[in-house]
């Protein structure tokens, strides 16, 4: 490698940066994108036969760099390097100051990266971009490459990308009439204090007609200033497209993604619009977003969705629009949930089963809760549990379950309508159709660097192919067999992770059983009386810790599993990552809740024939009031714990910690030597580099989807879930906003028409919630047994006698030897004890078998599940059918926009045609005068047509195509 380099500062003149930090040094050209990299100046060791050290300190020289065979990653022997150097001296004796420089492996790698950067930046210049670089005047440090896209590049790429831009034409938006208009005006006046103070469009009833940019039809667009016609988000998006498709020959790297993966560059990002807080009075969009959106003090205001979309792009704008709508929808569900909870509080005193359970005159002597060490006990001692269960297990919860199922359907339908409304106002209608033609031809979605690397390895393995087949090899792609090891690893590891989750749940179950048994041995009366409360509370907290730990592990595992699948494009990678992460986190978050809801207390057995774990411990039973209360505790603690610890503390703490570590690392490198030429005040690219890189919206969506599951799946057991979700989301919106504005580098603006696969996941959760809530009401709660008793077994149609009806008898003399209570302190001698189940009494011919009531209640449970599921599904379909996906006014506006567009083109083409005809008429007059030069000029205006009729026909046909 022959490298010409100059010692000392390169480009010493003009080091002064722009005052704003957003422009080149000339303070005119905008910085549209920044590339950052760490460099390390070569610390060369000179061969013995080379020039003296004094020669190396010259101001300029030509060096022969021997990189020790960097191609295969091994350094050549020292003797081989010296021989190469001597041969080079013999081959180029006429070159003055020629030196042989021996590079260490680290220097050779740095040299290779430097050459890749130089080649890549040359290719960017060839693509039309303009570049400004920092001088590398230290032995090592951080350097930035600033990129500017001139008008020619912007207009060319905007045309290829078919970016919709506003034209000169504006048309009136048809407003709703009648009572809807009146209601809308009243709503706008009432919510005026809640509106963010951001600039709004001057004519709110008017909309610019947008059309994909075309250089041939540039006269259609309202171009007042070429520097501001494309906003910052569009400019950075265009530059990013060029960066992604510009390649280097070294390592066959395609795009900036591959170069960052190979550590040639450290980062690539667009700049924020300036500081979000400071002494200066200059207002920018970032500062405006911070003041009106990203502060907790404005939690009561609506989000400035249009400004968010303009600054961060459509994809992030849709996320915050979805989050805002979801939070708004939680308000009515929270109100209804509070009403249901208050209904339980009000009716607890009049609840007959609770009264019967708490009445000490009803001497229900219950069987021991454990073998040998547990005594008989009175059911009235569980009075508090029964009263607490009624707060969540009452007839109102059935209504609330139906309401929440319809709520989920209405939320999804309303989101589709809002999504369509935003698509219209953000000019996203027809996005897929309009972009598909040219984007598929010019900008097929770029392969991921990992895919290219794997493909290159595959090509290198088949290097023995002939030259004739080389073209076919270029089109080679990874096949199913190439990905088979990744798919096999995915299947095995996902199965292992699911089993690990079940094992963790089983471990918590074992903890509950063993701890309950251990506390039962205690000599302390208070400890023995509070065994159930102690075990439940500690087990739920332990389960929460396990869920939080496994959640973080599963996130990393899902990403790694997706990477070994080697998806070709980023879109495929994101979708597969979402599915894996959601599957693992769904199982992790809800496994313990499913156990308490549907399995706990179902496999206990009966007195005299209990089911044992590890031969000495009985399976745990539900509390006397049922498992619904415990399900409520489990759900509430896991939901609140995840929201408080994972969604809030982790989101605030981890980005700040990473930012601090990155800053300390850079300062440690920079302090080794002072750079006197660099400006003391950090520029915007320096400030943005310290921020955390944007890694996508998957974590943000994931936490909200899991929360949506908590709100809908088991809402029958916890009516206050929507309220806690609402309180969390009020903070979450501002927390996410602050993170995007202050903690993250500015993301690339990405156009998106919808929220993608997340909508399908939401829809599946909504449908699954109907089934789960049906089973929770039918199986976990006492709703069906109470109905059956009141209408089938009660003598007077009331609930009197319900508790006695649900308890079976057992003859204590039939207890197994060694399981009877030792030293029983019970007041009277016990002949029969009671246990909760529908079984035949000991005096029956079929003693302890399931009674007729058991089968009747079981049939009623299954019938209720079928009836509830079909009724709610029918109502959901009815709501879906009644609410159109596209609002009527938006549908009419889209049709109107197409009509206005055609009329606008007709008018513009007609004016153009009149202009051409005037030129033709003038040309005919000049031809009659006989001036040859003027005749040639007229011919050029008529585009080669010599007759007015021919010219008119030509433009008519062109107009017809338009």
């Amino acid at each position: 490698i022959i490298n010409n380099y100059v010692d000392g500062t390169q480009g010493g003149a003009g080091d002064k940066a722009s005052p704003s930090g957003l422009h080149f040094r000339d303070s005119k050209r905008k910085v549209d994108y920044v590339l950052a990299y760490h460099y390390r100046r070569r610390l060369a060791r000179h061969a013995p036969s080379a020039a003296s050290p004094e020669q190396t300190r010259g101001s300029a020289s030509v060096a022969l760099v021997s990189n020790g065979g960097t191609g295969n990653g091994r350094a050549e022997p020292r003797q081989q390097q010296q021989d190469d150097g001597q041969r080079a001296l013999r081959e180029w004796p006429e070159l003055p100051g020629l030196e042989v420089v021996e590079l260490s492996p680290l220097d050779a790698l740095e040299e290779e990266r430097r050459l890749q950067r130089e080649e890549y930046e040359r290719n960017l210049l060839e693509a039309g971009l303009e570049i400004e670089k920092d001088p590398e005047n230290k032995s090592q440090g951080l350097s930035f490459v600033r990129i500017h896209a001139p008008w020619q590049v912007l207009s060319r790429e905007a045309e290829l990308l078919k970016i919709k831009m506003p034209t000169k034409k504006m048309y009136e938006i048809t407003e709703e009439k009648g009572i809807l208009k009146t209601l809308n005006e009243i709503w706008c006046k009432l919510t005026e204090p809640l509106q963010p103070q951001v600039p709004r469009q001057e004519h709110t009833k008017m909309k610019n007609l947008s059309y994909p940019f075309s250089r041939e039809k540039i006269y259609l667009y309202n171009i007042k200033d070429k520097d501001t016609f494309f906003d910052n988000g569009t400019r950075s998006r265009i530059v990013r497209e060029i960066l992604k498709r510009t390649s280097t020959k070294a390592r066959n790297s395609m795009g900036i993604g591959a170069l960052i993966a190979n550590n040639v560059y450290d980062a690539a990002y667009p700049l924020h619009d300036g500081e979000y807080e400071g002494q200066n009075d200059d207002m920018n969009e970032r500062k405006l977003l911070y003041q009106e959106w990203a502060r907790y003090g404005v939690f009561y205001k609506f989000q400035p969705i249009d400004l968010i979309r303009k600054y961060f792009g459509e994809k992030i704008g849709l996320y915050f629009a979805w989050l805002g709508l979801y939070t708004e929808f939680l308000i009515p569900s929270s109100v209804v949930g509070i009403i249901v909870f208050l209904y339980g509080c009000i009716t607890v005193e009049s609840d007959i089963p609770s009264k019967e359970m708490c009445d000490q005159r009803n001497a229900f002597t219950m069987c021991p809760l454990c073998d040998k060490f547990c005594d008989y006990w009175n059911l009235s001692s569980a009075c508090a549990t029964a009263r607490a269960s009624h707060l969540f297990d009452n007839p109102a919860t059935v209504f609330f379950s139906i309401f929440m199922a319809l709520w989920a359907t209405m939320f999804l339908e309303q989101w589709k309508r809002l999504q369509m409304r935003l698509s219209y106002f953000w000019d996203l209608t027809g996005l897929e159709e309009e972009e598909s033609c040219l984007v598929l031809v010019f900008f097929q979605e770029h392969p991921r660097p990992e895919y290219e690397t794997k493909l290159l390895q595959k090509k290198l393995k088949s290097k023995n192919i002939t030259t004739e087949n080389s073209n076919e090899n270029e089109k080679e792609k990874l096949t199913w067999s190439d990905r088979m090891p990744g798919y096999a690893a995915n299947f095995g590891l996902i199965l292992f992770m699911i089993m690990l989750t079940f094992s963790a749940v089983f471990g918590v179950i074992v903890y509950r059983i063993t701890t309950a048994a251990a506390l039962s041995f205690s000599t302390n009366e208070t400890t023995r009386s509070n065994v159930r409360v102690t075990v439940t509370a500690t087990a739920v907290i332990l389960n929460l810790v396990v869920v939080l730990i496994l959640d973080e592990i599963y996130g990393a595992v899902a990403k790694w599993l997706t990477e070994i699948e080697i998806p070709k494009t980023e879109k495929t990678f994101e979708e597969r990552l979402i599915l894996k992460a959601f599957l693992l986190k769904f199982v992790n978050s809800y496994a313990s809740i499913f156990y308490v809801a549907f399995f706990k207390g179902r496999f206990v057995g009966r007195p005299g024939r209990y089911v044992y774990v590890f031969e000495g411990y009985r399976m745990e039973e539900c509390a006397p009031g049922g498992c619904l209360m415990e399900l409520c505790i489990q759900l509430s603690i896991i939901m609140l714990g995840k929201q408080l610890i994972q969604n809030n503390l982790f989101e605030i703490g981890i980005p700040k910690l990473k930012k601090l570590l990155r800053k300390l690392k850079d300062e440690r490198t920079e302090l080794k030597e002072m750079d006197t030429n660099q400006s003391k005040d950090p520029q915007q690219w320096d400030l943005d580099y310290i921020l955390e890189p944007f890694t996508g919206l998957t974590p943000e969506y994931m936490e909200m989807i899991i929360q949506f599951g908590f709100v809908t799946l088991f809402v029958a057991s916890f009516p206050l879930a929507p309220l806690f979700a609402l309180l969390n989301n009020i903070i979450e919106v501002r927390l996410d906003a602050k993170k995007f504005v202050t903690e993250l580098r500015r993301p690339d603006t990405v156009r998106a028409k919808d929220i993608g696969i997340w909508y399908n996941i939401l829809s599946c959760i909504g449908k699954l919630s109907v089934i789960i809530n049906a089973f929770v009401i039918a199986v976990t709660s006492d709703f069906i047994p109470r109905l059956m008793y009141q209408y089938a077994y009660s003598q007077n149609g009331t609930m009197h006698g319900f508790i006695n009806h649900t308890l079976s008898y057992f003859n204590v003399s039939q207890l197994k030897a060694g399981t009877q209570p030792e030293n029983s302190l019970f007041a009277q001698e016990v002949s029969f004890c009671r246990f909760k189940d529908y079984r035949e009494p000991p005096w029956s011919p079929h003693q302890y078998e399931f009674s007729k009531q058991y089968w009747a209640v079981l049939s009623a449970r299954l019938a209720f599940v079928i009836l509830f599921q079909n009724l709610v599904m029918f109502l959901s379909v009815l709501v879906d059918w009644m609410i159109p996906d596209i609002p009527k006014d938006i549908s009419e506006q889209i049709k109107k926009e197409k009509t206005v567009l055609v009329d606008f083109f007709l008018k513009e083409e007609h004016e153009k045609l009149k202009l051409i005809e005037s030129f033709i008429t003038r040309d005919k007059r000049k031809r009659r005068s006989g001036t040859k030069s003027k005749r040639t000029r007229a011919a050029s205006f008529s585009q080669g047509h010599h007759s007015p009729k021919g010219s008119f026909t030509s433009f008519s046909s062109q107009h017809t195509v338009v």
Side-chain angles (χ1 to χ4, degrees):
I1 304 170
I2 300 294
N3 175 35
N4 296 310
Y5 66 92
V6 180
D7 293 335
T9 304
Q10 300 179 5
D15 285 346
K16 186 178 179 181
S18 66
S20 66
L22 300 173
H23 294 80
F24 278 12
R25 291 190 180 98
D26 57 12
S27 299
K28 294 179 180 178
R29 290 173 291 173
K30 283 184 179 179
V31 177
D32 296 319
Y33 224 86
V34 173
L35 307 180
Y37 64 92
H38 279 90
Y39 66 88
R40 181 176 178 272
R41 297 281 289 274
R42 189 165 54 240
L43 302 175
R45 298 192 302 270
H46 297 275
S49 60
S52 63
E54 285 76 11
Q55 289 177 312
T56 64
R57 295 198 230 4
S59 61
S61 61
V62 180
L64 174 71
V65 179
S66 175
N67 61 11
T70 56
N72 55 11
R74 297 192 304 270
E76 294 180 1
R78 180 177 295 274
Q79 185 60 42
Q80 178 68 33
Q81 295 178 14
Q82 292 177 4
D83 292 344
D84 290 342
Q86 296 295 336
R87 184 169 64 254
L89 289 171
R90 290 194 299 271
E91 290 178 1
W92 296 306
E94 68 279 359
L95 287 177
L98 184 66
E99 315 172 43
V100 179
V101 180
E102 177 193 342
L103 289 187
S104 66
L106 190 61
D107 287 333
L109 182 61
E110 179 61 32
E111 181 71 15
E112 183 183 358
R113 290 173 179 169
R114 185 185 64 79
L115 291 173
Q116 279 189 274
R117 285 195 293 267
E118 289 179 355
E119 181 189 358
Y120 186 71
E121 287 158 18
R122 280 198 304 270
N123 293 340
L124 292 180
L125 291 172
E126 290 176 3
L129 297 176
E130 297 175 4
I131 289 177
E132 182 181 74
K133 294 185 66 174
D134 287 335
E136 298 178 5
N137 48 15
K138 295 184 290 184
S139 61
Q140 60 179 354
L142 178 65
S143 188
F144 297 95
V145 179
R146 295 174 288 282
I147 300 173
H148 168 76
W151 169 258
Q152 293 81 359
V153 175
L154 293 172
S155 57
R156 179 192 71 207
E157 300 297 322
E159 182 173 0
L160 293 176
L161 288 170
K162 297 190 76 67
I163 297 175
K164 280 189 172 182
M165 300 303 295
T167 62
K168 298 175 183 177
K169 177 66 176 178
M170 294 186 73
Y171 65 96
E172 186 177 1
I173 299 174
T174 306
E175 292 185 340
E176 296 174 339
K177 297 180 180 179
I179 189 170
L180 291 176
K181 182 180 179 181
T182 307
L183 292 174
N184 186 44
E185 290 176 352
I186 295 172
W187 174 253
C188 289
K189 288 181 180 179
L190 290 175
T191 58
E192 184 63 31
L194 306 180
Q195 298 295 338
Q197 301 300 315
V198 296
R200 300 180 187 178
Q201 189 178 349
E202 295 179 2
H203 306 287
T204 54
K205 298 180 182 179
M206 303 294 290
K207 183 179 183 297
N208 274 97
L209 183 66
S210 297
Y211 186 73
F213 188 81
S214 171
R215 287 175 291 180
E216 292 182 356
K217 297 181 174 61
I218 200 167
Y219 55 88
L220 299 176
Y221 304 96
N222 188 19
I223 304 177
K224 297 178 180 177
D225 184 358
K226 289 184 177 181
D227 291 335
T228 58
F229 179 66
F230 296 103
D231 59 27
N232 292 344
T234 306
R235 295 174 71 99
S236 63
R237 176 190 167 201
I238 289 172
V239 174
R240 181 72 181 188
E241 286 294 331
I242 298 174
L243 293 176
K244 286 198 291 187
R245 73 169 186 264
T246 303
S247 61
T248 59
K249 293 180 181 178
R251 292 195 181 185
N252 197 24
S253 297
M254 179 67 180
I256 188 63
L259 294 175
I260 292 176
N262 295 328
N263 296 318
V264 178
Y265 291 101
D266 289 346
Y269 52 90
L271 291 180
H272 279 292
D273 280 0
E275 296 184 12
Y276 61 89
E277 58 182 357
Q279 302 298 327
N280 57 339
D281 297 330
D282 296 336
M283 181 58 69
N284 56 63
E285 290 181 350
R286 187 188 188 193
K287 182 179 288 188
L288 191 60
L289 282 171
Y290 178 74
Q291 292 179 355
E292 295 296 326
W293 178 52
R295 293 187 302 113
Y296 295 112
V298 292
F299 72 92
Y300 60 92
K301 290 188 176 183
F302 293 122
Q303 298 184 88
I305 292 297
D306 290 327
L307 185 59
I308 297 169
R309 170 252 179 177
K310 182 183 177 185
Y311 193 80
F312 292 111
E314 284 79 4
K315 191 171 185 179
I316 294 175
L318 283 173
Y319 163 71
F320 281 104
W322 175 84
L323 181 58
L325 181 69
Y326 172 49
T327 305
E328 289 174 13
F329 258 70
L330 284 172
I331 295 174
S333 60
S334 300
V335 172
V336 177
I338 292 172
I339 293 173
V340 169
F341 177 74
L342 291 176
Y343 171 81
C345 295
I346 294 170
T347 58
V348 67
E349 297 296 336
S350 59
D351 183 49
I352 296 175
S354 299
K355 283 184 177 181
E356 288 186 349
M357 190 177 288
C358 294
D359 191 355
Q360 296 185 1
R361 291 173 297 179
N362 296 327
F364 296 119
T365 304
M366 306 299 292
C367 296
L369 295 174
C370 64
D371 294 343
K372 196 174 182 178
F373 295 98
C374 294
D375 201 354
Y376 302 105
W377 57 286
N378 279 322
L379 185 62
S380 59
S381 62
C383 174
T385 307
R387 292 170 66 89
S389 296
H390 179 75
L391 300 179
F392 304 99
D393 188 2
N394 55 68
T397 57
V398 179
F399 157 75
F400 190 56
S401 299
I402 298 174
F403 170 80
M404 287 303 294
L406 298 178
W407 173 88
T409 303
M410 292 186 68
F411 164 63
L412 294 177
E413 287 301 310
Q414 188 62 28
W415 167 245
K416 285 194 286 188
R417 291 169 62 84
L418 177 60
Q419 192 171 250
M420 197 63 210
R421 189 175 294 276
L422 293 176
S423 295
Y424 166 70
F425 284 105
W426 292 354
D427 297 319
L428 299 173
T429 52
L431 177 65
E432 296 171 1
E433 295 81 1
E434 290 172 0
E435 290 191 349
S436 59
C437 301
L438 282 175
V439 172
L440 286 175
V441 174
F442 294 101
F443 302 105
Q444 292 182 354
E445 193 168 356
H446 307 287
R448 300 177 64 247
E450 294 80 1
Y451 179 87
E452 289 185 327
T453 304
K454 187 71 176 178
L455 190 60
L456 184 60
Q457 291 173 357
K458 181 180 179 181
K459 291 178 181 179
L460 292 175
K461 287 181 181 178
S462 55
K463 279 180 66 177
N464 55 351
I465 59 172
T466 59
T467 308
E468 290 78 9
N469 294 333
S470 61
N471 290 333
E472 296 177 7
N473 191 36
E474 289 296 327
K475 298 178 181 178
E476 193 173 6
K477 59 182 180 180
L478 296 183
T479 59
W480 186 81
S481 58
D482 296 321
R483 292 191 172 99
M484 188 60 196
Y487 290 150
N490 267 264
F491 178 78
L493 279 173
I494 288 176
L495 195 61
F496 171 76
M497 291 296 169
I498 293 174
M499 295 307 297
L500 178 64
T501 303
F502 292 156
S503 301
V505 173
F506 182 71
V508 175
I509 295 171
V510 172
Y511 164 80
R512 296 161 72 113
I513 295 172
T514 54
T515 305
L519 292 177
S520 300
F521 300 157
S522 174
T523 56
N524 190 331
E525 180 64 29
T526 307
T527 303
R528 287 202 307 270
S529 61
N530 295 312
V531 167
R532 193 180 296 277
V533 176
T534 305
V535 170
T536 300
T538 56
V540 171
I541 294 172
L542 177 63
N543 197 74
L544 173 63
V545 173
V546 171
V547 167
L548 292 177
I549 293 172
L550 289 181
D551 241 13
E552 298 302 315
I553 295 173
Y554 287 167
V557 169
K559 186 176 181 181
W560 180 73
L561 288 175
T562 311
E563 287 173 349
I564 64 175
E565 275 190 16
I566 322 171
K568 184 175 181 179
T569 62
E570 286 295 340
K571 183 179 180 182
T572 310
F573 177 86
E574 186 180 13
E575 288 181 351
R576 294 184 182 182
L577 173 62
I578 289 170
L579 287 175
K580 290 183 185 64
F582 175 73
L583 174 63
L584 293 174
K585 293 192 176 189
F586 181 88
V587 173
N588 181 44
S589 299
Y590 301 118
S592 60
I593 299 173
F594 268 93
Y595 163 73
V596 174
F598 303 122
F599 298 101
K600 184 179 179 181
R602 313 291 169 198
F603 310 102
V604 177
R606 61 170 178 81
R609 192 179 291 176
Y610 283 113
V611 177
Y612 289 88
V613 181
F614 304 128
E615 297 184 357
Y617 300 100
R618 274 165 42 180
M619 283 293 291
E620 56 179 347
E621 305 178 43
C622 289
C627 275
L628 197 69
M629 186 62 196
E630 192 168 339
L631 174 62
C632 173
I633 295 171
Q634 185 94 4
L635 179 67
S636 59
I637 291 182
I638 291 180
M639 177 182 176
L640 296 176
K642 278 179 67 68
Q643 289 184 165
L644 179 64
I645 299 172
Q646 191 176 44
N647 297 358
N648 293 332
L649 293 182
F650 283 10
E651 277 195 36
I652 296 172
I654 291 179
K656 287 186 178 296
L657 183 61
K658 288 183 178 180
K659 178 181 176 181
L660 179 63
L661 292 175
R662 190 183 298 107
K663 189 175 182 179
L664 291 175
K665 179 184 175 182
D666 291 336
E667 285 179 355
R668 200 180 305 120
T669 305
E670 298 288 338
L671 285 174
K672 291 183 179 179
E673 54 184 296
M674 296 298 293
D675 182 9
T676 56
N677 294 324
Q678 191 173 7
S679 175
K680 292 182 180 179
D681 295 329
Q683 297 296 309
Q684 190 62 47
W685 47 84
D686 296 304
L687 298 172
D688 286 5
Y689 179 77
I690 299 172
L691 301 177
E692 184 73 11
F694 174 69
T695 55
L697 288 169
T698 301
E700 317 300 332
Y701 273 113
M702 187 65 70
E703 63 185 64
M704 288 295 105
I705 297 295
I706 296 295
Q707 185 203 82
F708 183 78
F710 282 121
V711 169
T712 55
L713 292 179
F714 296 93
V715 75
S717 64
F718 189 40
L720 295 179
L723 174 63
F724 289 113
L726 173 63
L727 297 176
N728 173 81
N729 285 10
I730 291 173
I731 301 172
E732 181 71 23
V733 171
R734 306 304 162 179
L735 180 64
D736 283 349
K738 189 173 183 181
K739 184 172 69 174
F740 273 85
V741 173
T742 66
E743 301 290 341
L744 296 179
R745 292 175 192 160
R746 186 172 184 173
D748 294 303
T749 56
V750 179
R751 285 171 75 82
K753 196 176 181 181
D754 49 39
I755 60 174
I757 196 172
W758 295 111
Y759 179 83
N760 299 328
I761 293 175
L762 285 168
S763 181
C764 290
I765 291 177
K767 291 178 173 61
L768 184 62
S769 68
V770 177
I771 302 171
I772 291 178
N773 281 304
F775 277 98
V776 167
I777 295 170
V779 177
T780 312
S781 75
D782 280 339
F783 177 72
I784 299 301
R786 292 187 183 196
L787 277 184
M788 285 293 295
Y789 177 78
Q790 185 173 1
Y791 295 107
Y793 300 109
S794 176
Q795 296 179 356
N796 53 8
T798 65
M799 293 300 295
H800 289 287
F802 172 72
I803 296 298
N804 185 55
H805 177 76
T806 59
L807 297 177
S808 299
Y809 287 90
F810 181 76
N811 191 341
V812 298
S813 62
Q814 296 178 350
L815 286 171
K816 288 184 178 180
T819 62
Q820 298 93 341
E822 287 185 352
N823 304 319
S824 175
L825 301 176
F826 211 67
Q828 66 267 20
E829 186 179 348
V830 178
S831 301
F832 297 96
C833 65
R834 310 292 294 270
F835 64 99
K836 189 174 182 179
D837 207 346
Y838 291 102
R839 290 184 182 268
E840 297 288 346
W843 52 82
S844 170
H846 308 287
Q847 60 178 356
Y848 306 133
E849 291 184 3
F850 288 117
S851 62
K852 293 180 180 178
Q853 288 90 338
Y854 171 84
W855 298 111
V857 170
L858 180 63
S859 301
R861 291 181 195 269
L862 297 177
F864 175 82
V865 169
I866 296 171
L867 179 65
F868 182 89
Q869 178 183 336
N870 284 281
L871 173 64
V872 175
M873 288 291 187
F874 170 75
L875 293 176
S876 300
V877 171
L878 184 64
V879 170
D880 189 1
W881 174 76
M882 290 176 63
I883 303 175
D885 293 347
I886 304 176
K888 186 178 179 182
D889 59 322
I890 295 299
S891 178
E892 292 175 354
Q893 292 297 334
I894 292 173
K895 294 177 183 177
K896 180 179 179 180
E897 188 176 54
K898 292 179 180 179
T899 306
V900 171
L901 183 64
V902 172
D903 293 341
F904 180 56
F905 269 104
L906 284 171
K907 182 180 178 182
E908 290 292 332
E909 290 296 324
H910 182 66
E911 291 179 358
K912 184 178 177 183
L913 185 62
K914 286 172 64 178
L915 180 64
I916 292 173
E917 285 180 341
S918 67
F919 275 119
I920 293 172
T921 306
R922 190 186 306 171
D923 180 55
K924 288 176 68 176
R925 293 174 182 171
K926 290 180 180 178
R927 275 194 296 173
R928 288 172 184 171
S929 66
T931 307
K932 186 176 179 180
S933 59
K934 294 182 179 180
R935 183 169 62 247
T936 307
R937 181 182 174 189
S940 67
F941 275 113
S942 64
Q943 298 185 358
H945 297 283
H946 297 288
S947 66
K949 184 177 180 181
S951 179
F952 184 85
T953 305
S954 171
F955 280 92
S956 297
S957 62
Q958 185 180 358
H959 169 70
T960 306
V961 173
V962 173

